[in-house]
Amino acid sequence: MSLLHPSPLSWRQADLDVYVATAGSDYAGFVGAGTSGFEAQGPLGENLGVHTSVDAAQAAVDGHRVRATTTVTRRPRPLRTRRSGAHGRIAAQHE
């Protein structure tokens, strides 16, 4: 499976108004009927909004999954310089 092209979602109706998505054997989110439309949630409970149809809510779950799996390029961390002794302390001088 590629991160840019994840496996397709498989939807199952868990109850009269609840649909659960899986990708392979992994939980991918769900869609449930609410008072103002169909609520979509991602695999970690992310609120993906309220939609006018089941298909639109399922598309939101699928779209969220694609965005979440794309890689983000990170800037390299700056190299740390080693210091001898503790910062801010001056070595005691012996006479």
Side-chain angles (χ1 to χ4, degrees):
M1 177 178 88
S2 166
L3 290 179
L4 296 177
H5 303 286
S7 61
L9 292 182
S10 176
W11 288 94
R12 293 191 182 236
Q13 191 168 0
D15 202 351
L16 184 61
D17 55 358
V18 177
Y19 301 87
V20 177
T22 55
S25 61
D26 297 328
Y27 171 72
F30 83 94
V31 169
T35 56
S36 57
F38 293 91
E39 301 171 4
Q41 288 196 0
L44 300 176
E46 306 93 337
N47 181 1
L48 303 178
V50 177
H51 304 273
T52 57
S53 69
V54 172
D55 292 333
Q58 288 176 342
V61 172
D62 194 33
H64 172 73
R65 187 173 66 101
V66 172
R67 280 193 309 275
T69 59
T70 58
T71 58
V72 176
T73 57
R74 294 184 177 196
R75 294 185 341 211
R77 293 175 71 182
L79 296 175
R80 294 184 179 181
T81 57
R82 292 189 102 179
R83 296 184 187 177
S84 58
H87 180 66
R89 292 191 180 181
I90 299 174
Q93 295 182 0
H94 297 284
E95 292 185 25

